[in-house]
Amino acid sequence: MKLGIVGLPNVGKSTLFNSLTKAGAESANYPFCTIDPNVGVVTVPDERLKLLGDFYHSKKVTPAVIEFVDIAGLVKGASKGEGLGNQFLANIREVDAIVHVVRCFEDSNVIHVDGSIDPLRDIETINLELIFSDLEILERRIAKVTKTARMDKEAAKELDFLQKVKTHLEDGKMAITMELENEDEEAWMATYNLLTWKPVIYAANVAEGDLADDGENNIHVQAVRKYAAEQNSEIFVICAEIEEEISELDDDEKKMFLEDLGLTESGLEKLVKASYHLLGLMSFLTSGEDETRAWTIKIGTKAPQAAGKIHTDFERGFIKAEVVNYQDLLDCGSYAGAREKGLVRMEGKEYVVQDGDVILFRFNV
């Protein structure tokens, strides 16, 4: 999974990226200090892995990973090359979802590029840049399809659709809010790789004092929550500065630090939860003496396709899957114990894998 972090300059975007990835992107109180997109790979927190790893005395424990791309602070006119815009917009096209960091804190020491705190205005600024960038893509595609539309019925249908998408964007709406009418439209939309078609998670960056109540009393957070709900987007509340402090601590210290703040999970855990939910993802597990590992798949994936995540041969030669829920396995104290209680099941090609399944695949190539 690849997530692109965007936001206006000085909203806490690079601070958040640094704390999530410990990759050390330069963070300074002026725009464009992040010239190249910084890339950091983060392991997905999953306590099930540690428990299973201990259970099997695994030599190796391998969590799922998320790749974060930190895109330099966008400003008005980015799509027209203002600031360092265009090259950054190109970098976002490769991601699965966009994490949009929005400033919801007041601090006179940190200048806001527009002079005041207004998250909805900031969101609109970024969204317009994404829309303008997408319109350029559409115009190029329209020019290409127009040439064949006179002689080709399919091309003519696609041209109508392209014009519909263009009108939608020109009305200031994101492509993701369009209702697609049939499979053809879904297939075409998937090939355009529009920025405004990507799902968005809003990270409301607040001051420390607003963390404990999850921004309930912060009017800026409330405004973003309402907007996110209307857009079918996810939102989570974060304090980038606190995340930076947390990133320096080991696991036990982290837990105590969060408890002192009245929190049960870190910003990274909130972000992982939001992104898995938004993208319809979950994890199944494989475990044994050699390795315990988490594998990320789409919700609704059947057993052979899940096996294919491990190796294409597993999918090609799939025979069956031995499945047990990780909690049942731990509660029984051994695999044999779980099997005696009838908790280890043999599943075939139509089995839909569930979150937390521990699976042993049987295959023959």
Side-chain angles (χ1 to χ4, degrees), residues 73-140:
L74 293 169
V75 292
K76 272 184 190 140
S79 58
K80 300 278 180 263
E82 193 65 37
L84 296 160
N86 264 335
Q87 68 195 75
F88 299 135
L89 290 169
N91 293 323
I92 316 175
R93 292 204 185 272
E94 307 310 313
V95 302
D96 300 307
I98 292 170
V99 180
H100 187 157
V101 183
V102 191
R103 180 169 165 179
C104 295
F105 65 90
E106 304 277 352
D107 184 346
S108 57
N109 295 318
V110 183
I111 313 146
H112 189 290
V113 284
D114 288 328
S116 61
I117 307 304
D118 182 347
L120 295 187
R121 177 201 59 210
D122 295 355
I123 288 170
E124 191 180 336
T125 298
I126 297 266
N127 284 354
L128 281 173
E129 294 312 316
L130 303 184
I131 287 170
F132 292 146
S133 185
D134 281 351
L135 282 169
E136 278 183 33
I137 299 275
L138 286 176
E139 275 155 15
R140 286 202 290 274

Side-chain angles (χ1 to χ4, degrees), residues 210-256:
D210 286 325
L211 262 187
D213 70 353
D214 209 31
E216 284 299 323
N217 294 308
N218 181 314
I219 55 165
H220 302 310
V221 173
Q222 292 313 316
V224 178
R225 273 214 175 101
K226 184 170 178 288
Y227 179 83
E230 289 163 2
Q231 301 288 317
N232 290 326
S233 296
E234 292 279 328
I235 174 177
F236 70 104
V237 174
I238 196 163
C239 173
E241 283 191 345
I242 292 291
E243 288 303 309
E244 201 164 33
E245 289 181 46
I246 289 173
S247 71
E248 304 299 325
L249 306 174
D250 65 31
D251 286 349
D252 289 340
E253 289 173 326
K254 198 176 287 184
K255 203 174 173 195
M256 283 166 60

Side-chain angles (χ1 to χ4, degrees), residues 154 157 161 181-190 192:
E154 274 306 299
K157 271 200 253 175
F161 176 64
E181 291 173 14
N182 52 52
E183 285 179 6
D184 282 346
E185 291 191 352
E186 284 169 19
W188 288 324
M189 187 64 102
Y192 304 150

